[in-house]
Amino acid sequence: MDCRVVVEAAVPVYDVETVDEAVRIAISKTGEMLNPDLNYVEIDTGTRTSPSGEQLDPAFVAADEALVALELQMDVFNVDRGEHASRVARKEIGKRLRNIPLKVLSVTEIDPEESDRTDEPETAEGESASSDDEPATRDDEESVGN
């Protein structure tokens, strides 16, 4: 089964004056930490709401420092169930985003027609050509073709 996992990250940003500046810097900082290993992770601004349900800016700025909510979307392939996909995504993203809190927001199964994944060649026994116990991420598949 293939899954799309959305993870929320709380990214601290320093020496900023506006919410827009904080968001731009947080996206850039996160992209630098993820690249080149996880360049296929999509980065978007997160959504925040107040306890009363009011929409808030994705960043909170105080004393020229900000905490920015970002959503990171990653496709995980060959997993047993949604919980497995969320653990793989948190591990892969968490390795590169040290000291940044992560929370899994959603895990959805990817429709096979929607997936841009190419199937691995099968061996004579009908098993996948790669014998790794770990599920494949897009990074693994790109390195197989090289």
Side-chain angles (χ1 to χ4, degrees):
M1 157 163 105
D2 302 336
C3 292
R4 180 161 293 136
V5 182
V6 178
V7 177
E8 181 180 47
V11 181
V13 179
Y14 307 100
D15 297 323
V16 294
E17 295 178 10
T18 66
V19 169
D20 289 337
E21 181 183 18
V23 169
R24 281 194 310 271
I25 292 171
I27 289 172
S28 176
K29 176 181 174 179
T30 303
E32 287 175 9
M33 287 189 279
L34 293 174
N35 281 321
D37 297 331
L38 295 181
N39 62 354
Y40 50 84
V41 173
E42 295 181 29
I43 304 169
D44 199 6
T45 56
T47 56
R48 295 183 23 218
T49 55
S50 70
S52 63
E54 177 186 354
Q55 285 286 69
L56 301 173
D57 289 328
F60 175 76
V61 180
D64 291 337
E65 294 187 5
L67 188 61
V68 182
L70 294 180
E71 291 182 1
L72 310 174
Q73 180 178 296
M74 176 179 178
D75 292 346
V76 182
F77 304 107
N78 298 330
V79 291
D80 299 329
R81 57 188 188 282
E83 181 183 331
H84 187 200
S86 68
R87 283 184 296 168
V88 170
R90 279 183 54 112
K91 177 184 174 201
E92 291 298 315
I93 293 171
K95 280 195 298 190
R96 288 151 185 94
L97 300 183
R98 298 260 181 220
N99 299 322
I100 293 181
L102 300 175
K103 175 185 175 187
V104 175
L105 296 178
S106 68
V107 179
T108 54
E109 189 172 346
I110 301 173
D111 191 24
E113 292 86 39
E114 182 183 332
S115 177
D116 59 354
R117 176 177 164 229
T118 57
D119 291 328
E120 293 181 351
E122 293 190 348
T123 61
E125 290 81 31
E127 297 175 353
S128 175
S130 73
S131 61
D132 296 340
D133 291 335
E134 289 291 317
T137 60
R138 190 173 296 164
D139 188 37
D140 297 334
E141 292 173 356
E142 289 172 356
S143 64
V144 169
N146 292 337

